[in-house]
Amino acid sequence: SQTIHQWPATLVQPVGSPLSLECTVEGTSNPNLYWYRQAAGRGLQLLFYSVGIGQISSEVPQNLSASRPQDRQFILSSKKLLLSDSGFYLCAWMRHTEAFFGQGTRLTVV
Amino acid sequence: KQEVTQIPAALSVPEGENLVLNCSFTDSAIYNLQWFRQDPGKGLTSLLLIQSSQREQTSGRLNASLDKSSGRSTLYIAASQPGDSATYLCAVLYNNNDMRFGAGTRLTVKP
């Protein structure tokens, strides 16, 4: 069966520090992968999606970047975090147009 | 602009009551619609997926309907239980591989 792993679960980082969140999918090949951010009390905002290795589409201009170094690995990064980067980050993959989500990372920038 | 709206934002009901959550979307050129459940501080759990050619899907006490022409979907929960308390999110997948979410309905079922 397919599973999606996302870590860490929680993270507290100072302003200006770098960020790296990792997401991996098991049990499938060539999945479409997604990074979403959920602000408190709001819906999910699509940040990046990828249909293959090295292929990244960005939805909104921001302080973040994404990379897909391997087929089932999706990484969300920042060189210098801002206070506004705080939020709940979710990774997802899609199978036959049905989306499945990881457990999320709660990022607090202080 | 592709927007997804969920009404109400919050709902509190007594245990055993049947309830309906609403989702509307502005662009009817959808590929499918998916309902999720989110517990506090957790990821999303898929509940039901309705393809654009379908009218409804059922899973246990849950029934989701889709009216693509009017841009609406409903999630019906029968005989609600305290364990159903969570935030329910509606997501619309558009043909361009773009999934848009509503802000969710926070449901509280009181014992």
Side-chain angles (χ1 to χ4, degrees):
Chain A
S1 63
Q2 298 88 0
T3 56
I4 180 168
H5 300 281
Q6 190 179 339
W7 68 91
T10 60
L11 191 60
V12 180
Q13 292 284 100
V15 169
S17 63
L19 172 74
S20 180
L21 302 181
E22 188 163 344
C23 172
T24 59
V25 180
E26 296 179 355
T28 187
S29 60
N30 197 31
N32 287 354
L33 296 172
Y34 304 80
W35 277 112
Y36 285 86
R37 177 168 60 199
Q38 185 177 35
R42 302 181 64 181
L44 276 70
Q45 179 188 32
L46 178 64
L47 301 176
F48 302 94
Y49 70 90
S50 171
V51 298
I53 296 175
Q55 300 180 59
I56 308 295
S57 295
S58 175
E59 286 297 300
V60 294
Q62 59 207 326
N63 186 41
L64 302 169
S65 62
S67 62
R68 186 168 176 176
Q70 301 180 42
D71 181 43
R72 291 170 289 176
Q73 184 184 32
F74 204 23
I75 298 173
L76 183 69
S77 304
S78 174
K79 293 182 179 178
K80 290 185 178 181
L81 284 169
L82 306 172
L83 287 174
S84 58
D85 291 324
S86 294
F88 192 52
Y89 290 82
L90 289 155
C91 177
W93 74 281
M94 198 166 286
R95 178 184 67 190
H96 304 308
T97 75
E98 183 172 7
F100 298 90
F101 282 79
Q103 285 302 298
T105 296
R106 172 74 58 192
L107 171 66
T108 303
V109 182
V110 296
Chain B
K1 183 178 179 181
Q2 298 160 334
E3 294 184 350
V4 180
T5 304
Q6 289 187 248
I7 296 173
L11 181 64
S12 181
V13 300
E15 182 177 3
E17 190 164 299
N18 303 326
L19 59 100
V20 174
L21 307 181
N22 297 290
C23 173
S24 61
F25 44 95
T26 54
D27 185 346
S28 62
I30 71 170
Y31 203 84
N32 65 33
L33 186 145
Q34 197 167 351
W35 282 94
F36 294 89
R37 169 187 173 135
Q38 185 177 29
D39 293 292
K42 302 295 184 181
L44 277 64
T45 300
S46 179
L47 297 175
L48 289 165
L49 171 70
I50 310 178
Q51 301 293 346
S52 63
S53 59
Q54 297 176 319
R55 297 285 292 182
E56 66 177 341
Q57 283 286 334
T58 298
S59 176
R61 293 182 294 106
L62 305 180
N63 176 276
S65 68
L66 174 64
D67 184 342
K68 200 171 74 166
S69 61
S70 67
R72 295 184 179 184
S73 175
T74 61
L75 179 66
Y76 174 82
I77 302 177
S80 58
Q81 304 171 357
D84 295 330
S85 297
T87 296
Y88 291 82
L89 294 162
C90 162
V92 177
L93 180 67
Y94 289 98
N95 294 329
N96 61 353
N97 198 37
D98 182 8
M99 178 173 276
R100 299 284 173 170
F101 283 79
T105 294
R106 189 173 67 254
L107 173 66
T108 302
V109 181
K110 298 178 180 179

mmCIF file of all heavy atoms in Angstrom, chain B residues 8 11 19 24 26 39 41 44 55-56 64 69 75 79 83 91 98-99 106 110-111:
data_model
loop_
_atom_site.group_PDB
_atom_site.id
_atom_site.type_symbol
_atom_site.label_atom_id
_atom_site.label_comp_id
_atom_site.label_asym_id
_atom_site.label_seq_id
_atom_site.Cartn_x
_atom_site.Cartn_y
_atom_site.Cartn_z
ATOM 1 N N PRO B 8 -21.756 26.242 6.466
ATOM 2 C CA PRO B 8 -21.284 27.337 7.303
ATOM 3 C C PRO B 8 -19.816 27.175 7.676
ATOM 4 O O PRO B 8 -19.226 26.129 7.445
ATOM 5 C CB PRO B 8 -22.172 27.195 8.538
ATOM 6 C CG PRO B 8 -22.407 25.715 8.649
ATOM 7 C CD PRO B 8 -22.505 25.221 7.225
ATOM 8 N N LEU B 11 -20.316 24.745 12.815
ATOM 9 C CA LEU B 11 -21.626 24.144 13.049
ATOM 10 C C LEU B 11 -21.548 23.305 14.320
ATOM 11 O O LEU B 11 -20.604 22.526 14.496
ATOM 12 C CB LEU B 11 -22.013 23.263 11.852
ATOM 13 C CG LEU B 11 -23.354 22.544 11.875
ATOM 14 C CD1 LEU B 11 -24.484 23.561 11.879
ATOM 15 C CD2 LEU B 11 -23.467 21.626 10.670
ATOM 16 N N LEU B 19 -26.984 16.071 9.392
ATOM 17 C CA LEU B 19 -26.540 17.412 9.041
ATOM 18 C C LEU B 19 -26.004 17.452 7.619
ATOM 19 O O LEU B 19 -25.623 16.433 7.038
ATOM 20 C CB LEU B 19 -25.488 17.901 10.035
ATOM 21 C CG LEU B 19 -24.229 17.057 10.156
ATOM 22 C CD1 LEU B 19 -23.106 17.672 9.354
ATOM 23 C CD2 LEU B 19 -23.807 16.937 11.632
ATOM 24 N N SER B 24 -19.413 25.300 -2.535
ATOM 25 C CA SER B 24 -19.727 25.845 -3.852
ATOM 26 C C SER B 24 -18.436 26.260 -4.543
ATOM 27 O O SER B 24 -17.457 26.641 -3.887
ATOM 28 C CB SER B 24 -20.687 27.034 -3.736
ATOM 29 O OG SER B 24 -20.100 28.064 -2.976
ATOM 30 N N THR B 26 -16.787 28.273 -8.257
ATOM 31 C CA THR B 26 -17.152 29.264 -9.262
ATOM 32 C C THR B 26 -16.933 28.775 -10.695
ATOM 33 O O THR B 26 -17.596 29.249 -11.610
ATOM 34 C CB THR B 26 -16.349 30.549 -9.055
ATOM 35 O OG1 THR B 26 -14.954 30.229 -9.035
ATOM 36 C CG2 THR B 26 -16.742 31.214 -7.746
ATOM 37 N N ASP B 39 -8.571 16.619 11.647
ATOM 38 C CA ASP B 39 -8.585 16.758 13.100
ATOM 39 C C ASP B 39 -7.551 17.812 13.492
ATOM 40 O O ASP B 39 -6.572 18.048 12.767
ATOM 41 C CB ASP B 39 -8.300 15.415 13.757
ATOM 42 C CG ASP B 39 -9.427 14.429 13.524
ATOM 43 O OD1 ASP B 39 -10.519 14.663 14.077
ATOM 44 O OD2 ASP B 39 -9.249 13.458 12.750
ATOM 45 N N GLY B 41 -4.570 19.965 14.310
ATOM 46 C CA GLY B 41 -3.131 19.738 14.248
ATOM 47 C C GLY B 41 -2.707 18.546 13.422
ATOM 48 O O GLY B 41 -1.536 18.152 13.467
ATOM 49 N N LEU B 44 -4.852 15.783 6.460
ATOM 50 C CA LEU B 44 -6.192 15.578 5.909
ATOM 51 C C LEU B 44 -6.422 14.105 5.605
ATOM 52 O O LEU B 44 -5.550 13.430 5.059
ATOM 53 C CB LEU B 44 -6.365 16.380 4.616
ATOM 54 C CG LEU B 44 -6.736 17.849 4.742
ATOM 55 C CD1 LEU B 44 -5.640 18.648 5.428
ATOM 56 C CD2 LEU B 44 -7.041 18.433 3.373
ATOM 57 N N ARG B 55 -22.858 11.815 -9.732
ATOM 58 C CA ARG B 55 -23.794 12.682 -9.016
ATOM 59 C C ARG B 55 -23.621 12.562 -7.509
ATOM 60 O O ARG B 55 -23.891 13.506 -6.773
ATOM 61 C CB ARG B 55 -25.223 12.299 -9.378
ATOM 62 C CG ARG B 55 -25.566 12.492 -10.838
ATOM 63 C CD ARG B 55 -25.756 13.948 -11.175
ATOM 64 N NE ARG B 55 -26.932 14.527 -10.555
ATOM 65 C CZ ARG B 55 -27.322 15.786 -10.745
ATOM 66 N NH1 ARG B 55 -26.623 16.580 -11.513
ATOM 67 N NH2 ARG B 55 -28.398 16.253 -10.154
ATOM 68 N N GLU B 56 -23.201 11.373 -7.041
ATOM 69 C CA GLU B 56 -23.029 11.202 -5.604
ATOM 70 C C GLU B 56 -22.145 10.003 -5.301
ATOM 71 O O GLU B 56 -21.926 9.127 -6.150
ATOM 72 C CB GLU B 56 -24.380 11.042 -4.902
ATOM 73 C CG GLU B 56 -25.141 9.795 -5.260
ATOM 74 C CD GLU B 56 -26.441 9.699 -4.453
ATOM 75 O OE1 GLU B 56 -26.552 10.367 -3.406
ATOM 76 O OE2 GLU B 56 -27.337 8.975 -4.871
ATOM 77 N N ALA B 64 -22.033 12.183 -0.278
ATOM 78 C CA ALA B 64 -21.662 13.434 -0.930
ATOM 79 C C ALA B 64 -22.342 13.509 -2.284
ATOM 80 O O ALA B 64 -22.373 12.522 -3.031
ATOM 81 C CB ALA B 64 -20.154 13.528 -1.094
ATOM 82 N N SER B 69 -23.246 21.645 -12.739
ATOM 83 C CA SER B 69 -23.806 22.766 -13.492
ATOM 84 C C SER B 69 -24.082 23.967 -12.595
ATOM 85 O O SER B 69 -23.933 25.123 -13.025
ATOM 86 C CB SER B 69 -25.082 22.348 -14.214
ATOM 87 O OG SER B 69 -26.050 21.920 -13.274
ATOM 88 N N LEU B 75 -22.164 17.543 1.626
ATOM 89 C CA LEU B 75 -21.763 16.369 2.388
ATOM 90 C C LEU B 75 -22.810 16.158 3.466
ATOM 91 O O LEU B 75 -23.002 17.014 4.330
ATOM 92 C CB LEU B 75 -20.385 16.546 3.020
ATOM 93 C CG LEU B 75 -19.897 15.363 3.867
ATOM 94 C CD1 LEU B 75 -19.668 14.133 2.990
ATOM 95 C CD2 LEU B 75 -18.614 15.727 4.622
ATOM 96 N N ALA B 79 -26.931 10.584 11.443
ATOM 97 C CA ALA B 79 -26.801 10.126 12.836
ATOM 98 C C ALA B 79 -25.442 10.518 13.418
ATOM 99 O O ALA B 79 -24.625 9.660 13.781
ATOM 100 C CB ALA B 79 -27.013 8.622 12.913
ATOM 101 N N GLY B 83 -17.506 11.621 17.757
ATOM 102 C CA GLY B 83 -16.289 11.332 17.004
ATOM 103 C C GLY B 83 -16.250 11.955 15.616
ATOM 104 O O GLY B 83 -15.200 11.976 14.977
ATOM 105 N N ALA B 91 -12.502 20.087 -1.633
ATOM 106 C CA ALA B 91 -11.435 20.428 -2.574
ATOM 107 C C ALA B 91 -11.874 20.098 -3.987
ATOM 108 O O ALA B 91 -12.424 19.026 -4.244
ATOM 109 C CB ALA B 91 -10.156 19.668 -2.233
ATOM 110 N N ASP B 98 -4.764 21.458 -10.846
ATOM 111 C CA ASP B 98 -4.789 22.413 -9.762
ATOM 112 C C ASP B 98 -5.940 22.056 -8.818
ATOM 113 O O ASP B 98 -7.086 22.002 -9.238
ATOM 114 C CB ASP B 98 -4.987 23.816 -10.350
ATOM 115 C CG ASP B 98 -4.988 24.888 -9.289
ATOM 116 O OD1 ASP B 98 -4.693 24.584 -8.121
ATOM 117 O OD2 ASP B 98 -5.290 26.040 -9.636
ATOM 118 N N MET B 99 -5.628 21.822 -7.533
ATOM 119 C CA MET B 99 -6.645 21.498 -6.540
ATOM 120 C C MET B 99 -6.847 22.702 -5.638
ATOM 121 O O MET B 99 -5.893 23.177 -5.011
ATOM 122 C CB MET B 99 -6.237 20.271 -5.718
ATOM 123 C CG MET B 99 -7.225 19.911 -4.629
ATOM 124 S SD MET B 99 -6.824 18.353 -3.800
ATOM 125 C CE MET B 99 -7.575 17.199 -4.914
ATOM 126 N N ARG B 106 -16.070 23.811 10.521
ATOM 127 C CA ARG B 106 -15.683 23.204 11.798
ATOM 128 C C ARG B 106 -16.924 22.656 12.469
ATOM 129 O O ARG B 106 -17.806 23.392 12.878
ATOM 130 C CB ARG B 106 -14.988 24.217 12.687
ATOM 131 C CG ARG B 106 -14.364 23.623 13.945
ATOM 132 C CD ARG B 106 -13.548 24.637 14.722
ATOM 133 N NE ARG B 106 -14.370 25.689 15.287
ATOM 134 C CZ ARG B 106 -14.426 26.933 14.819
ATOM 135 N NH1 ARG B 106 -13.694 27.280 13.784
ATOM 136 N NH2 ARG B 106 -15.166 27.830 15.408
ATOM 137 N N LYS B 110 -22.147 17.460 19.955
ATOM 138 C CA LYS B 110 -22.192 17.414 21.415
ATOM 139 C C LYS B 110 -22.867 16.145 21.912
ATOM 140 O O LYS B 110 -23.931 15.784 21.403
ATOM 141 C CB LYS B 110 -22.943 18.629 21.944
ATOM 142 C CG LYS B 110 -22.270 19.948 21.585
ATOM 143 C CD LYS B 110 -23.083 21.119 22.103
ATOM 144 C CE LYS B 110 -22.406 22.440 21.753
ATOM 145 N NZ LYS B 110 -23.203 23.607 22.233
ATOM 146 N N PRO B 111 -22.271 15.496 22.924
ATOM 147 C CA PRO B 111 -22.875 14.255 23.454
ATOM 148 C C PRO B 111 -24.215 14.533 24.134
ATOM 149 O O PRO B 111 -24.449 15.641 24.628
ATOM 150 C CB PRO B 111 -21.852 13.763 24.472
ATOM 151 C CG PRO B 111 -20.612 14.531 24.222
ATOM 152 C CD PRO B 111 -20.996 15.819 23.542
#
